[in-house]
Amino acid sequence: MVLRLFNTMSKKKKVFKPLKGKKVMMFVCGQTVYDDAHLGHAKNYVNADVTARFLRYLGYKLHYIQNITDVDDKIINRAMERGEHPLKLAENFTKRFFEDMEHLKVKETVDEYPKSTDYIPQIVDQIKILLKKGYAYVVDSDIYFDVSKFKDYTKLSRMKLEDLKNHRIEPDQRKRNTYDFSLWKSAKPGELSWESPYGPGRPGWHIEDTAITVTIFGPQYDI
């Protein structure tokens, strides 16, 4: 049986050919655990589950990972509202999320649920590389990705930069470009943080997935 998948880059269905024989590496952007999952989350993970099950049915050796974002502005803000420690709040909502996914019968197909906080050193290393290559810059102790340096930034979405105003764009007058986004956020007094060469802080939302996938899969994966 020939498997055809929709290719986001070409906007066409294409015959699926894994990078490494019958081994398939699949990543699905997972949950930011500041609240309970909703129906939209369920739809996303059910769709991914169907793909995972079909790949295994066809005889592919699938390695399917779905990350858990357990450090984020939303988590910190929600924890402050409740008077809880951010990591404890994230842990509780992760458990509730797993329970929901078990009820949907989709958790069993996922091989790994790596947490962002377990990959802080890898995130810092990736930021170092981006700084060295000139794709990122430091403002005080905050680090931003310079969108203008990446010509293919909107190639997959086919959106214009001005269309991205409501997509996790942080307002900060210190940024070189409106659309630049955080890679490392310096810690405010009493806030959750980790040590880094740039001072205590925490990763930005965008850098977590890439640090996890590069560590587990390498620079390329299939889906």
Side-chain angles (χ1 to χ4, degrees):
M1 184 182 293
V2 176
L3 174 63
R4 290 181 173 83
L5 291 180
F6 182 80
N7 186 304
T8 308
M9 186 78 76
S10 64
K11 302 295 181 183
K12 296 178 181 178
K13 285 184 180 179
K14 290 189 174 182
V15 174
F16 176 62
K17 294 181 180 180
L19 295 167
K20 300 177 181 178
K22 296 289 286 186
K23 182 179 179 180
V24 177
M25 298 172 285
M26 184 169 101
F27 172 76
V28 171
C29 189
Q31 198 77 349
T32 301
V33 283
Y34 72 98
D35 205 341
D36 285 322
H38 53 63
L39 193 60
H41 297 133
K43 179 182 183 298
N44 184 44
Y45 303 131
V46 168
N47 287 349
D49 180 78
V50 171
T51 303
R53 290 178 186 274
F54 192 55
L55 286 165
R56 288 180 175 136
Y57 171 77
L58 293 178
Y60 290 103
K61 186 178 180 181
L62 176 67
H63 188 179
Y64 170 19
I65 66 174
Q66 192 183 120
N67 73 307
I68 295 291
T69 297
D70 59 345
V71 55
D72 180 81
D73 288 344
K74 292 181 179 179
I75 294 172
I76 292 172
N77 293 338
R78 181 61 55 84
M80 290 178 63
E81 292 171 6
R82 296 188 172 199
E84 295 182 41
H85 191 281
L87 294 182
K88 184 62 177 178
L89 179 130
E91 181 183 350
N92 290 336
F93 277 120
T94 299
K95 290 178 181 177
R96 291 172 65 89
F97 170 67
F98 285 160
E99 290 171 1
D100 289 340
M101 296 304 103
E102 286 172 353
H103 287 141
L104 289 171
K105 308 295 184 184
V106 301
K107 184 176 182 291
E108 62 199 48
T109 60
V110 181
D111 295 298
E112 294 184 68
Y113 281 100
K115 297 188 300 182
S116 298
T117 53
D118 289 336
Y119 288 79
I120 300 297
Q122 292 87 345
I123 289 169
V124 171
D125 286 344
Q126 198 164 87
I127 292 172
K128 288 179 182 176
I129 293 171
L130 291 171
L131 285 168
K132 185 177 180 180
K133 292 187 174 182
Y135 285 96
Y137 58 94
V138 180
V139 178
D140 299 325
S141 295
D142 295 316
I143 303 173
Y144 288 97
F145 183 86
D146 189 342
V147 171
S148 67
K149 297 292 180 67
F150 185 28
K151 295 179 181 178
D152 292 336
Y153 183 67
T154 58
K155 193 171 184 178
L156 281 175
S157 66
R158 298 193 179 184
M159 298 175 72
K160 295 179 181 179
L161 282 176
E162 54 264 30
D163 295 332
L164 301 176
K165 291 180 180 179
N166 296 320
H167 290 253
R168 289 185 177 262
I169 301 300
E170 304 107 328
D172 189 335
Q173 298 300 319
R174 302 172 303 161
K175 295 193 295 185
R176 292 178 183 174
N177 311 292
T178 305
Y179 307 104
D180 295 349
F181 54 83
S182 296
L183 298 175
W184 188 259
K185 298 186 177 186
S186 57
K188 298 175 183 177
E191 199 171 64
L192 179 67
S193 65
W194 288 262
E195 291 300 323
S196 80
Y198 323 105
R202 66 183 190 278
W205 182 79
H206 298 75
I207 193 70
E208 297 172 357
D209 292 1
T210 54
I212 289 171
T213 53
V214 165
T215 303
I216 297 175
F217 289 149
Q220 285 186 299
Y221 52 94
D222 298 291
I223 301 173

